[in-house]
Amino acid sequence: MKYDELVWFVVKGRTFAEKVLGSASGNPDAKAGAIVEAAPDLVMSHENTFLVSKSFSEFGLGRPWDPSKIVLILDHRTPANTAQTATVHARIRNLARDIGVAKFYDAGSGICHQLLIEDRLVRPGQLVLGTDSHTTTAGAVGAFATGIGATEMAGVWATGSLWLKVPESIKVELSGHLAKGTYTKDVALHLASVLGPSGADYRCMEFGGPLMQDLPMAGRMVLCNMSVEVGAKAAVVVPDAVTEEWFRGYSQATISPVRSDPDAAFERRIELDVSKLPPTVSGPHRVEDAKSIDKQMGVRIDQAFIGTCTNGRLEDLIAAAQVLKGRKVSPTCRLIVAPASRRVLEDAMDMGVVQTIVAAGGTILPPGCGPCLGAHEGVLGPGEVCISSSNRNFKGRMGSEESEIYLASPATVAASALEGRIADPRRYLE
Amino acid sequence: MTRIWRFGDDVNTDAIIPGKYLDNYDPGHLAAHAMEGANREFAGSVSKGDIIVAGRNFGCGSSREQAVIALARAGVKAVVAKSFARIFYRNAVNLGLSVITSEDAADVFVDGDEAALDLKNHILVSADGARRASLAPVPEHVRKILDAGGLVPYVKAKLAMTTRPSK
Ligand code: SF4
């Protein structure tokens, strides 16, 4: 090591991203900006496994480098929406068996990002790659997780590694307490309006601050999930007692949390006291068009959707049920709910949450992505307006180019379903 | 000489190829709906060799590789943008679609312009030679993959050099 490198090394602490990518690539000194060849601990694909395997077959290798590190999940079009999808599903099922992927989740198990965390497949400090942009969600348990393309994944299957640029990091310090009717979704939408769609481009967002002590895994997943909507390459919640608790009882779990050094260099720091944040609604068409509920209230809606890798968890269904309990969905609006996983559905049934939603007039969809990507189960027609607990309201995402999507927390979506127009959930919470 | 198709900022992959078309992986089918969410004329009128010029954050949103497949099959030769969303950028490089960063192309050119890519001199020049935009050089590690013709040939060559333990 040269003298000036040594000085840098001594003077500057290292970020989480530098540490994880450094050790995954055998370059313990890797700094932001470096291009490294990194070996992932876990890789995940969904229906696009079809494209992965198509490219992989061109290598003529037979089996991937390490099937024990591969997770395959059918979630985007489940149950199959067309004969074509059914064919793709069948091929992926066969492939999983043929190449020996034990961590295969068939249709109905749930959404890939949910299952990686729910089944404790992802551990702190790991490098996780997934052929889906919301792979960032796995940062909630302290992993460096990022999305890649299908052909790129084929390359990983072949070689066990991938080039990555070590990103700069942005520190987000959250403080205060969420007020009644306000959730991490409102924080994430607010951050999107502050940062814009490329405000964290190619960066790793690191969430910390006093609010985190209050924040269960579900809320942490929302923040990391939505980070990709501001362009982040990865997002992480600094591992703490909540992280440790998450893995308690999972004997095989080797928890080796990685944290930025106190003197690590952050490109930018964002501080936010969430205490005064109101319920927030974003849209239509642009995630960053997030405004406080009073500015969006009253917009007529045709459909209200609760689910997705952003907000389809038990906590979200409970929040919706608190609003819906003993009330009826407006006759001018449809409420559809897709639990993020089978376990979420089972727990919600045990707690009577599903019963409350159904009694209010909601329709329960099978666990999976549901209508989030406009493929099935609640596609919007021309002129229709939907309020959704998902992460993207891009024009045409859920169907017709002439439909509109607003994004909000599950409680706000539920309140809106009751009124048939965008509504403030605080009215319905004790 | 090729036609410029001009787009704005934050063109997302749902606009490049809407999710409803993704259950059919045929490149021809994808190309027939390329850019449907941003410009309905595009898929029907684009010709081989045309260039997309766009603003910031081109290809944001979903990681769907079909976005690149749709554009490449439709005949798009290169996408020149102020900046790219990272997964789209990587997908394009991996599939051999030229993605070039340019600070000023989106300000210099309008939709329907005729222009030529001059990669040797790192410029995009209008047909009459009057207007030009500068193109950023392609990073070294990206160049290697592009030179190989995409990620599959690149990895193949790499595999040929190393012997993988057989299973
Ligand atoms: S729920 Fe929506 S955003 Fe999440 S993985 Fe599925 S399609 Fe993507």
Side-chain angles (χ1 to χ4, degrees):
Chain A
M1 195 178 279
K2 287 194 242 87
Y3 176 71
D4 52 344
E5 281 175 10
L6 190 68
V7 169
W8 170 265
F9 188 71
V10 172
V11 170
K12 279 285 164 219
R14 300 168 64 224
T15 63
F16 162 83
E18 289 168 332
K19 289 184 184 184
V20 175
L21 293 178
S23 61
S25 64
N27 298 306
D29 303 333
K31 288 192 274 284
I35 306 281
V36 297
E37 187 73 24
D41 300 290
L42 196 76
V43 301
M44 179 274 292
S45 295
H46 47 71
E47 269 90 335
N48 57 20
T49 303
F50 179 79
L51 283 175
V52 178
S53 68
K54 220 167 113 194
S55 293
F56 181 70
S57 66
E58 294 192 44
F59 299 126
L61 288 171
R63 276 161 80 97
W65 100 111
D66 188 350
S68 75
K69 293 194 167 122
I70 299 177
V71 187
L72 300 179
I73 297 168
L74 301 181
D75 59 359
H76 274 54
R77 295 148 192 277
T78 57
N81 57 331
T82 59
Q84 217 140 16
T85 298
T87 310
V88 166
H89 284 174
R91 284 174 71 160
I92 296 170
R93 255 175 226 123
N94 293 340
L95 176 88
R97 193 195 50 223
D98 294 346
I99 62 176
V101 171
K103 294 173 190 127
F104 169 70
Y105 293 82
D106 212 325
S109 309
I111 306 169
C112 53
H113 309 300
Q114 173 69 12
L115 295 171
L116 284 190
I117 291 194
E118 190 179 275
D119 263 7
R120 274 67 174 183
L121 297 174
V122 180
R123 307 280 159 76
Q126 285 189 329
L127 172 60
V128 179
L129 303 173
T131 48
D132 191 278
S133 59
H134 291 105
T135 301
T136 55
T137 313
V141 297
F144 185 98
T146 189
I148 63 172
T151 296
E152 203 150 48
M153 184 60 85
V156 176
W157 281 21
T159 64
S161 69
L162 174 84
W163 74 266
L164 287 170
K165 192 176 194 169
V166 181
E168 299 278 354
S169 295
I170 296 177
K171 184 83 190 175
V172 183
E173 291 275 355
L174 300 173
S175 60
H177 297 278
L178 289 162
K180 188 181 77 176
T182 310
Y183 306 82
T184 38
K185 178 58 160 291
D186 301 294
V187 177
L189 292 175
H190 177 76
L191 283 173
S193 75
V194 171
L195 283 161
S198 53
D201 245 3
Y202 292 77
R203 308 292 189 271
C204 177
M205 285 174 85
E206 221 176 287
F207 292 97
L211 176 74
M212 288 304 164
Q213 296 162 18
D214 291 355
L215 220 55
M217 197 48 70
R220 295 168 180 225
M221 289 171 77
V222 175
L223 295 176
C224 293
N225 179 278
M226 292 286 298
S227 293
V228 78
E229 307 314 330
V230 292
K233 176 178 201 156
V236 67
V237 172
V238 180
D240 58 9
V242 174
T243 323
E244 217 166 279
E245 187 57 35
W246 182 253
F247 288 99
R248 196 182 302 284
Y250 287 79
S251 54
Q252 297 103 327
T254 41
I255 311 291
S256 40
V258 176
R259 302 180 184 92
S260 292
D261 294 327
D263 58 345
F266 288 96
E267 189 193 57
R268 184 174 172 192
R269 278 174 196 274
I270 297 170
E271 284 173 20
L272 178 66
D273 179 350
V274 303
S275 307
K276 294 217 170 65
L277 208 64
T280 301
V281 178
S282 148
H285 306 320
R286 298 167 70 92
V287 182
E288 69 272 26
D289 283 347
K291 302 182 188 83
S292 66
I293 183 83
D294 54 302
K295 299 211 174 65
Q296 301 271 40
M297 239 161 30
V299 173
R300 173 195 61 86
I301 57 161
D302 303 286
Q303 180 168 300
F305 170 47
I306 297 168
T308 80
C309 55
T310 313
N311 279 121
R313 281 173 274 284
L314 184 63
E315 289 81 348
D316 302 316
L317 271 43
I318 292 172
Q322 281 167 351
V323 170
L324 296 170
K325 195 160 182 61
R327 303 187 171 97
K328 286 280 179 205
V329 167
S330 159
T332 63
C333 171
R334 321 171 289 268
L335 170 65
I336 51 184
V337 179
S341 72
R342 182 181 298 281
R343 192 173 306 166
V344 169
L345 174 58
E346 283 176 8
D347 291 348
M349 289 195 311
D350 286 350
M351 296 179 67
V353 166
V354 167
Q355 291 82 336
T356 301
I357 293 170
V358 172
T363 300
I364 304 288
L365 298 182
C369 298
C372 178
L373 73 161
H376 61 161
E377 299 179 330
V379 174
L380 301 175
E384 288 198 315
V385 181
C386 177
I387 187 162
S388 167
S389 74
S390 59
N391 43 44
R392 287 191 178 135
N393 52 8
F394 301 160
K395 202 170 172 201
R397 167 125 175 135
M398 291 179 72
S400 167
E401 285 298 314
E402 287 126 56
S403 60
E404 291 182 348
I405 308 166
Y406 290 84
L407 305 177
S409 75
T412 301
V413 173
S416 306
L418 292 175
E419 297 192 15
R421 53 197 175 83
I422 295 179
D424 192 330
R426 292 172 294 195
R427 283 188 57 186
Y428 299 98
L429 295 166
E430 299 312 311
Chain B
M1 213 42 70
T2 53
R3 184 196 196 283
I4 300 280
W5 294 85
R6 171 75 165 76
F7 294 92
D9 291 340
D10 307 313
V11 175
N12 62 66
T13 53
D14 274 271
I16 300 173
I17 183 74
K20 58 184 173 231
Y21 301 122
L22 297 182
D23 51 2
N24 183 342
Y25 291 83
D26 171 51
H29 160 83
L30 298 169
H33 299 285
M35 284 296 189
E36 197 168 286
N39 179 351
R40 285 203 161 260
E41 312 286 295
F42 181 86
S45 334
V46 65
S47 355
K48 196 165 163 43
D50 282 0
I51 294 168
I52 287 177
V53 170
R56 291 197 189 286
N57 204 24
F58 188 87
C60 60
S62 156
S63 68
R64 60 189 67 164
E65 196 163 285
Q66 290 97 322
V68 173
I69 298 173
L71 294 183
R73 174 54 77 94
V76 172
K77 179 180 171 184
V79 184
V80 178
K82 283 197 181 176
S83 66
F84 292 90
R86 59 169 286 276
I87 305 177
F88 179 89
Y89 184 83
R90 297 182 69 113
N91 285 344
V93 169
N94 292 335
L95 296 183
L97 172 70
S98 208
V99 272
I100 309 166
T101 312
S102 168
E103 257 313 310
D104 53 350
D107 306 323
V108 169
F109 292 97
V110 298
D111 195 55
D113 272 350
E114 296 271 306
L117 262 184
D118 177 352
L119 290 178
K120 229 166 84 205
N121 295 305
H122 300 294
I123 45 172
L124 182 63
V125 196
S126 63
D128 57 8
R131 288 168 297 142
R132 52 187 55 196
S134 53
L135 309 175
V138 176
E140 181 56 27
H141 59 285
V142 169
R143 173 90 279 151
K144 279 192 215 152
I145 299 171
L146 283 173
D147 285 348
L151 190 78
V152 169
Y154 176 76
V155 169
K156 267 188 180 165
K158 230 169 81 175
L159 286 170
M161 290 190 300
T162 55
T163 34
R164 217 171 55 128
S166 54
K167 288 209 173 153

